[in-house]
Amino acid sequence: GAGVSQTPSNKVTEKGKYVELRCDPISGHTALYWYRQSLGQGPEFLIYFQGTGAADDSGLPNDRFFAVRPEGSVSTLKIQRTERGDSAVYLCASSLQGMTGELFFGEGSRLTVL
Amino acid sequence: AQKVTQAQTEISVVEKEDVTLDCVYETRDTTYYLFWYKQPPSGELVFLIRRNSFDEQNEISGRYSWNFQKSTSSFNFTITASQVVDSAVYFCALRLIQGAQKLVFGQGTRLTINP
């Protein structure tokens, strides 16, 4: 597709369960970002990939959160032992390597932990 | 560390009024980009503008204009003759040119344009 695609658009799970959120970036974009947006807040940085490697994972809140991008395209954000506080919209964005800053965002995956 | 502050949580105006959204930023770096994004109800963040720290020229694009002032670390956004379709949450963001590649966002301003 032409834009950043995220699936699922909505996910409801129970506390303690494992969740995977998928991001398919714009074709050719080597940089990929995950952000988390809580209600009424601005997006909060989680992790940034350049190609297959995580160039900056300083925003991951704890070791329950993990993300991969094995082939340098699609990325999966994985959350183990979910907690109610993990409920948020998880946004993915991509950009061209060397691009002067513009990120293209997907519509997000809304996660609700009951 | 970088910080972006949008002090206005919510603004409500009547259609055709002009409205200014404030943005103040903090960084020790001298080279950076500043951005504005619009987030309509669909949730997707839509890029509006990017300015770099070397260029303080104000910019106008149709009904939108941006006032960048390094002296006050501000990057304000004005919508002239507002329309109902302008209703959205607007985010200001900062990204360093060297070093950390992440965008740091403000808290956002929810703008409601009433008919």
Side-chain angles (χ1 to χ4, degrees):
Chain A
V4 177
S5 176
Q6 292 188 246
T7 55
S9 55
N10 275 286
K11 175 70 176 178
V12 180
T13 191
E14 294 180 343
K15 179 183 172 184
K17 299 291 187 181
Y18 170 80
V19 166
E20 287 190 355
L21 306 176
R22 175 191 167 106
C23 173
D24 198 342
I26 293 172
S27 178
H29 281 194
T30 57
L32 185 146
Y33 303 77
W34 283 99
Y35 281 80
R36 177 168 71 175
Q37 187 175 20
S38 300
L39 192 63
Q41 303 294 316
E44 175 190 20
F45 171 78
L46 295 177
I47 187 169
Y48 155 60
F49 286 90
Q50 185 60 254
T52 60
D56 183 353
D57 64 358
S58 62
L60 294 177
N62 51 60
D63 61 6
R64 295 187 298 105
F65 288 75
F66 189 69
V68 296
R69 195 186 185 199
E71 297 178 357
S73 178
V74 171
S75 176
T76 304
L77 178 65
K78 307 180 180 192
I79 309 174
Q80 297 177 322
R81 304 182 304 281
T82 52
E83 299 178 357
R84 291 192 179 89
D86 298 335
S87 297
V89 175
Y90 289 82
L91 296 167
C92 179
S94 69
S95 70
L96 285 169
Q97 181 181 12
M99 180 70 180
T100 50
E102 181 182 348
L103 270 60
F104 296 84
F105 283 84
E107 291 190 353
S109 293
R110 181 178 297 279
L111 175 65
T112 303
V113 182
L114 301 177
Chain B
Q2 296 74 48
K3 184 179 179 182
V4 176
T5 301
Q6 295 177 253
Q8 303 150 309
T9 305
E10 294 192 32
I11 299 176
S12 181
V13 300
V14 177
E15 198 173 19
K16 298 183 183 177
E17 287 186 13
D18 299 347
V19 59
T20 296
L21 309 181
D22 297 334
C23 172
V24 174
Y25 62 91
E26 297 175 30
T27 180
R28 291 184 178 179
D29 282 65
T30 57
T31 58
Y32 48 87
Y33 293 112
L34 294 166
F35 301 80
W36 277 94
Y37 278 84
K38 175 181 180 179
Q39 188 174 44
S42 65
E44 183 176 346
L45 284 155
V46 177
F47 168 81
L48 295 179
I49 190 171
R50 175 188 63 242
R51 303 295 290 174
N52 73 52
S53 52
F54 304 121
D55 184 1
E56 284 193 72
Q57 266 195 325
N58 292 328
E59 183 157 338
I60 298 174
S61 176
R63 296 185 296 106
Y64 295 172
S65 62
W66 291 270
N67 184 346
F68 176 27
Q69 293 195 347
K70 288 182 78 170
S71 61
T72 56
S73 296
S74 65
F75 186 44
N76 296 338
F77 172 31
T78 297
I79 301 174
T80 303
S82 60
Q83 299 176 2
V84 173
V85 294
D86 296 327
S87 297
V89 181
Y90 290 86
F91 290 97
C92 181
L94 178 147
R95 173 176 170 174
L96 300 182
I97 292 178
Q98 301 291 337
Q101 295 295 299
K102 60 187 179 186
L103 268 181
V104 175
F105 286 86
Q107 298 285 75
T109 298
R110 179 175 298 279
L111 177 64
T112 302
I113 310 298
N114 299 299

